[in-house]
Amino acid sequence: MARIEVISNGAFRRWLLSLNGLAPSNPADGLPDAAGLRGADWARAAVQRLGFVQVDPIAVVARAHDQILFARSPSYRPAHLKEALEEHRTLFENWTHDAAILPVEHFPHWRHYMGRFKRWEIHAGYRRYFAAVTAKTIALVRRHVKKHGVTRPREIKSEKADWGNVGFAVPTTAKISIEYLWRVGGLAVARRVGQEKAYDLASRVIPGEWYRARVGKQAYVDWACRESLRRLGAATAAQIAHFFDAVSTKEAQAWCEKSIGKELTTVVVELANRSNSRPVFAPADWVTRLKGVPRAPDKLRLLSPFDPLIHDRKRANKIFGFDYAVEIFVPPARRRYGYYVLPILEGERFVGRIDLKLDRKKSRLDVLGLWWERGVEATAPRRARLKRQLERQAQFAGMDEVGRF
């Protein structure tokens, strides 16, 4: 039996940080590189490199997609992403595991993803939410949007969904139908007014080159698996399937098995606790991809709770030894840390976590809690780096100062 190569933990961390745009890129990885770009062009290239960024409405510090990009470039501003989405049309909104922004060149493949949603093969839990959607409500929405163009859900008059007394605002059947048509590819987000989405026919939003293009089912599966692994470095079939949430683990496993000895091989990754992982799949040229990866800068960054680097919590814990969970929906008395806690990344390791909140009335970024990881000393230089990063974070949020910490 051939010997399986082992990737050291330090080397794999460095590789992951590079693939995630948190360290300089290696041309051998084949992913877009945002270095040297600015504004909307940088935002597009950054999302291309990551594959997608999650969209989340919570804005305790910054919205998820904005924090993800700001952590990678201090010159990023939300207007850059808006320009790429609404003017250049180089990005579009749809879903992966959650609402997400994706490169527009993904759209031909994403038709299969949207078709799977339509057949309830993914996100089947939404079937109940969309139960109010009927052929009649879909026809109503289509007629209105086709005639009037860009439309906010409130602009179409219809009855509220029959959800009974649920204790919160019930959407109209038109709003639910618009969201359904968006999820299955009939409509696309044309722009946002504040955080409210306005929709148009997908054929009028997605550039024609990408709207007209078609790919077959197997080509879609191969693409989804290959693109996922390019960004994961080395992974199990389940992790490959989970990256975009676009294929099943069974499909990913079949792709890996047919690709072994061709474009894939197997390796073992040293974990943070110094044990080795079970054999995982990696590109056949992983040595070349890994060899040229530069060290990550020693700068300190505040990551979004929804950052791609830590989206797979179990994997992040195994590789970085960082046990992290989002506690937004945990009752206050049961939280270990806080409501909206951001991981602190320094160089190639996580050194702590910080609970932040904007006090808009006082124009201040408040530190509600700060916890250093075990073995990390709160030295004066480290605290100074954190203070500088908090000042940048406050400026990004439009705040005038940082509270004491």
Side-chain angles (χ1 to χ4, degrees), residues 40 42 57 64 84 90 142 145 181-182 198 216 260 267 322 335:
W42 180 90
T90 53
R142 284 188 184 278
V145 176
L181 285 169
W182 169 52
I260 282 290
V267 298
F322 186 63
R335 291 177 189 147

Side-chain angles (χ1 to χ4, degrees), residues 114-264:
M114 294 183 287
R116 291 183 175 205
F117 177 77
K118 188 174 183 178
R119 297 187 296 274
W120 304 115
E121 294 173 13
I122 53 176
H123 301 298
Y126 277 89
R127 193 168 193 161
R128 183 177 180 183
Y129 176 80
F130 288 114
V133 176
T134 65
K136 183 178 179 180
T137 63
I138 286 177
L140 169 69
V141 167
R142 284 188 184 278
R143 283 195 305 270
H144 182 99
V145 176
K146 185 176 182 180
K147 179 179 180 180
H148 298 283
V150 179
T151 299
R152 289 185 284 176
R154 68 175 70 178
E155 296 169 357
I156 303 179
K157 304 300 182 184
S158 68
E159 70 280 3
K160 290 186 178 293
D162 185 14
W163 288 359
N165 185 14
V166 292
F168 54 83
V170 176
T172 65
T173 56
K175 183 179 189 300
I176 297 172
S177 298
I178 284 179
E179 291 177 0
Y180 176 79
L181 285 169
W182 169 52
R183 295 289 296 273
V184 301
L187 300 180
V189 177
R191 65 171 183 259
R192 283 179 178 259
V193 182
Q195 287 305 304
E196 184 182 13
K197 294 189 287 288
Y199 304 81
D200 201 350
L201 299 177
S203 60
R204 297 197 293 226
V205 175
I206 306 300
E209 173 188 3
W210 304 111
Y211 183 79
R212 292 188 296 269
R214 297 291 190 275
V215 297
K217 177 183 175 181
Q218 191 55 53
Y220 160 74
V221 173
D222 293 348
W223 171 87
C225 293
R226 186 177 296 112
E227 291 298 306
S228 297
L229 186 58
R230 286 172 71 190
R231 293 166 173 85
L232 292 168
T236 66
Q239 290 166 344
I240 290 170
H242 181 62
F243 182 81
F244 283 119
D245 204 20
V247 298
S248 67
T249 299
K250 182 178 179 180
E251 288 172 317
Q253 184 67 40
W255 177 78
C256 290
E257 290 175 356
K258 78 174 185 179
S259 302
I260 282 290
K262 300 172 186 176
E263 60 180 299
L264 297 188

Side-chain angles (χ1 to χ4, degrees), residues 377-385:
E377 294 184 17
T379 61
R382 179 168 283 129
R383 288 184 67 87
R385 285 196 294 273

Side-chain angles (χ1 to χ4, degrees), residues 18-38:
S18 176
L19 294 174
N20 276 270
L22 292 163
S25 65
N26 175 10
D29 62 34
L31 293 173
D33 184 2
L37 300 177
R38 297 183 65 83

